[in-house]
Amino acid sequence: MTMTRQDTDAIRALQGLEDSSSSVRLQAALAVGTAPDPRFVDKLIERCAIEPEFFVRDMLTWALVRHPVSLTLPRLVREVRSGRAQARSQALHTLSKTGDRQAWPAITRALLSDADNEVARSAWRAAVALVPEGQESPLATALATQLGRGERETQLSLSQALVALGEVIVPVLHAATTADDPGVRAHALATQRLLRDPNAGFELAIEEAKRIVALARAPQDGQ
C-alpha cells in the first residue's frame, strides 16, 4: 500500500510529540491541532499525562479541543480516573475547554477534594465551566468544603471558582465565616470581598480577612 503525504505528515507529527526538544514537541502539537485526525487523539491524551512543559501541555489541550468531542470526551472522562495526578489534572483542564456539559457527571466530589492541589484546582475550574443550570448551589456547597486549603495560589483558585458561581455562594460563605478553623473563616471573608468587588486584590483581601478574624478572637484570647 502506498503511503500518502498525509500519512507521512501524521507519522512525523506523532513522532515529534515525543522529541527531546520542547520546541519540537510544541510544533508537533500545533501541527496536530491544525490538521485534526482521529488517529491523533489517543496519543495526545497519552502525552498530556507525561508532558513536563506547561506551554506544550496547553498546546496539547488546544489540539484535543480541535477534534470532535464525540472522540475526545469518552477518553478524557476515563483519564480523570487515572492514578497519575498530571493525567487527571490535564484531562480536567481539557474538559473545561470543551465546554460540553455531558462531562459534568465526571466531576465528582472526590476530584473536587483531590489530595493533589493541581488536580483539585483543575476540578474546581472544570466544575464551574460545566455545571448544569440548577446545580450551582450544590456545587457551591461542595466547593466551600475546601475553604482554607493550601497556600495563596490554591486559595485564590478556589475563591475565583466560587465567585464565578455568583450570588448562590452567599449562604455558604456566610456559614463558613463562623467555622471553628480561623483559616476557613479568613478565606470565606476574603472570598466575600472578591464577590462584592471582583477588582479587589486577593492578597489584600486575605490579609484584611486575617486581621478581622484575629481581632474577633482577641477578647477570648485575653480571658
Side-chain angles (χ1 to χ4, degrees), residues 7 23-24 54 58-60 65 69 87 91 104 106 116 118 120 127 147 161 179 181 196 222:
D7 288 332
S23 62
V24 172
F54 169 79
D58 221 34
M59 188 64 77
L60 292 168
V65 172
V69 173
W104 170 248
D116 186 281
E118 287 305 313
L147 285 166
D181 187 332
R196 293 192 301 269

Side-chain angles (χ1 to χ4, degrees), residues 164-214:
L165 293 175
E167 293 298 318
V168 298
I169 70 172
V170 171
V172 295
L173 289 181
H174 179 71
T177 61
T178 63
D180 292 335
D181 187 332
V184 172
R185 297 203 299 275
H187 194 180
L189 287 167
T191 307
Q192 282 182 330
R193 175 168 180 175
L194 287 182
L195 180 63
R196 293 192 301 269
D197 180 10
N199 294 320
F202 182 74
E203 192 70 28
L204 180 62
I206 197 71
E207 290 304 324
E208 180 180 338
K210 283 185 172 182
R211 286 194 295 272
I212 292 171
V213 169

Side-chain angles (χ1 to χ4, degrees), residues 120-195:
R121 293 173 64 201
S122 294
W124 301 338
R125 289 189 290 265
V128 169
L130 301 173
V131 60
E133 186 175 352
Q135 293 298 308
E136 294 90 350
S137 185
L139 175 58
T141 299
L143 291 177
T145 65
Q146 302 303 298
L147 285 166
R149 170 179 175 166
E151 302 299 327
R152 289 287 192 276
E153 190 176 17
T154 299
Q155 293 192 1
L156 174 58
S157 290
L158 181 60
S159 292
Q160 289 172 331
L162 283 163
V163 168
L165 293 175
E167 293 298 318
V168 298
I169 70 172
V170 171
V172 295
L173 289 181
H174 179 71
T177 61
T178 63
D180 292 335
D181 187 332
V184 172
R185 297 203 299 275
H187 194 180
L189 287 167
T191 307
Q192 282 182 330
R193 175 168 180 175
L194 287 182
L195 180 63

Side-chain angles (χ1 to χ4, degrees), residues 51-71:
E51 172 55 52
E53 299 292 341
F54 169 79
F55 58 90
V56 179
R57 291 199 302 272
D58 221 34
M59 188 64 77
L60 292 168
T61 284
W62 173 79
L64 280 166
V65 172
R66 294 269 297 162
H67 288 77
V69 173
S70 59
L71 292 177

